[in-house]
Amino acid sequence: MSEHYELNDGTTLPKVGLGTYSLWGFEGAENMAAALQEGYRLLDSAVNYENEGAVGRAVRSSGVARDDIRIASKLPGRHHKKANVMRTIEESVLRTGLDYLDLYLIHWPNPNQGLYLEAWEGMIEARERGLVRSIGVSNFLPEHIDLLIAKTGVTPSINQVELHPYFSQADQRAFNESRGILTQAWTPIGKRTHLLEEPAIVAIARQLGRTPAQIVLRWHLQLGVLPIPKSAMPSRRTENLAIFDFELDEAQMQAIGALTRTDGRIFDADPATHEEF
Ligand SMILES: NC(=O)c1ccc[n+]([C@@H]2O[C@H](COP(=O)([O-])OP(=O)(O)OC[C@H]3O[C@@H](n4cnc5c(N)ncnc54)[C@H](OP(=O)(O)O)[C@@H]3O)[C@@H](O)[C@H]2O)c1
């Protein structure tokens, strides 16, 4: 299996990235630089994580070539007005101290605010200016994405959504695939839950001589999804990357998928109503 996904705009992303929420300051920068040295090539940041400066420092101090790394950030809800989008992205680029970012996502659609189409138009301009290489969305429902495509003719390259065995997002994944959009998974290993102690997952881990986290991340890969697990621990980060030399069979995939529930969201944030600024 190739270790890269190809996006609909011709760019590529590694099949696993590093979540960076709560990795900030000098310690966060050291952690992320270490992750790059361990083999991570995608760092998932956001304006609202307040760590774009640490991300940039990690890239510069890692010794890994800039072209081999993918840096993602996200536009917060308070800056959806078109006039604000460009300066927000410029500030993201400046905070990193890099010349461009690889991926920029609209963090949440905020449908009650109703400005995500304006935000998308601004993102298209930022890509045309070369500030970002790829543009996408996060937490977007099918109707939000179809509106963007209908009004601008530009399809997002990525939709990053909450996705783990408790909430496997079969319909949203199928929709994304039908539009040629890669699905990224946030909270892939179910932070703050007992997901990694689920008997079904522990049993498969024992059968295959792997850890529960590896089983869950491998499940994402076999669904064609790009997970971005966060860890501040080198041993866990290494573990989370070592998922390319084994496979889950159909029964194992189904046993993991069977954990999904309609109310399986961990953060109780339904994009149809959730507003985040
Ligand atoms: N787009 C959005 O709206 C959105 C929302 C939420 C998150 N995100 C992104 O998604 C990323 C990942 O989500 P997340 O941080 O919420 O949750 P997660 O990656 O599912 O879980 C992270 C937690 O799991 C622990 N962990 C990591 N590897 C482990 C392993 N192998 N075994 C046992 N425990 C392990 C980490 O602790 P240690 O650090 O101590 O190892 C941390 O507490 C975020 O960092 C952020 O980049 C995006």
Side-chain angles (χ1 to χ4, degrees):
M1 187 192 285
S2 149
E3 294 187 16
H4 287 86
Y5 287 115
E6 278 199 19
L7 306 188
N8 59 18
D9 57 14
T11 63
T12 60
L13 287 180
K15 289 201 162 178
V16 178
L18 184 75
T20 73
Y21 180 67
S22 81
L23 299 176
W24 44 55
F26 289 107
E27 192 183 338
E30 278 168 25
N31 252 300
M32 292 187 276
L36 292 169
Q37 287 156 2
E38 291 154 12
Y40 282 85
R41 290 293 178 268
L42 167 63
L43 303 180
D44 178 75
S45 182
V47 170
N48 279 351
Y49 300 172
E50 300 181 327
N51 69 352
E52 289 166 311
V55 166
R57 187 180 173 103
V59 172
R60 290 191 303 278
S61 66
S62 66
V64 178
R66 170 67 185 96
D67 283 354
D68 292 342
I69 301 173
R70 302 288 182 266
I71 299 300
S73 191
K74 310 189 192 78
L75 182 77
R78 63 186 178 281
H79 293 316
H80 279 195
K81 274 191 181 296
K82 199 170 169 188
N84 292 350
V85 175
M86 193 65 73
R87 71 160 196 244
T88 304
I89 298 178
E90 286 179 3
E91 286 292 337
S92 285
V93 172
L94 288 169
R95 274 191 293 273
T96 61
L98 304 171
D99 295 330
Y100 65 91
L101 299 183
D102 298 276
L103 178 64
Y104 217 83
L105 310 178
I106 303 178
H107 206 148
W108 286 88
N110 287 13
N112 295 333
Q113 177 180 233
L115 294 173
Y116 61 87
L117 174 59
E118 273 197 35
W120 188 239
E121 289 167 350
M123 302 258 291
I124 293 168
E125 272 184 42
R127 187 177 65 176
E128 282 164 2
R129 274 188 55 199
L131 285 171
V132 295
R133 299 259 159 109
S134 289
I135 52 176
V137 295
S138 177
N139 302 302
F140 271 49
L141 297 173
E143 61 264 32
H144 306 138
I145 290 177
D146 273 345
L147 183 86
L148 301 186
I149 298 172
K151 297 288 185 187
T152 67
V154 179
T155 302
S157 60
I158 294 269
N159 188 15
Q160 182 185 114
V161 297
E162 177 174 354
L163 202 166
H164 41 73
Y166 289 143
F167 198 61
S168 67
Q169 295 260 33
D171 291 347
Q172 184 68 56
R173 277 190 282 115
F175 171 83
N176 291 344
E177 198 179 339
S178 74
R179 299 295 186 273
I181 298 168
L182 176 68
T183 303
Q184 268 189 340
W186 60 259
T187 309
I189 51 175
K191 176 166 96 171
R192 291 194 213 133
T193 68
H194 294 290
L195 178 67
L196 301 182
E197 291 146 39
E198 280 290 343
I201 292 172
V202 172
I204 297 168
R206 287 211 180 106
Q207 273 166 25
L208 298 180
R210 300 284 168 162
T211 68
Q214 288 176 320
I215 298 302
V216 171
L217 294 167
R218 181 69 206 185
W219 172 82
H220 283 89
L221 242 55
Q222 289 184 217
L223 293 177
V225 169
L226 192 168
I228 45 170
K230 172 262 168 187
S231 179
M233 288 176 53
S235 59
R236 284 178 171 174
R237 284 197 301 264
T238 301
E239 173 186 329
N240 295 347
L241 265 192
I243 55 172
F244 292 95
D245 59 347
F246 71 101
E247 235 174 285
L248 302 171
D249 65 24
E250 198 45 46
Q252 292 164 333
M253 287 295 289
Q254 276 176 17
I256 300 167
L259 295 170
T260 211
R261 312 184 300 246
T262 44
D263 64 347
R265 281 197 175 94
I266 296 172
F267 292 96
D268 192 27
D270 181 347
T273 50
H274 182 74
E275 300 274 293
E276 197 169 300
F277 296 95

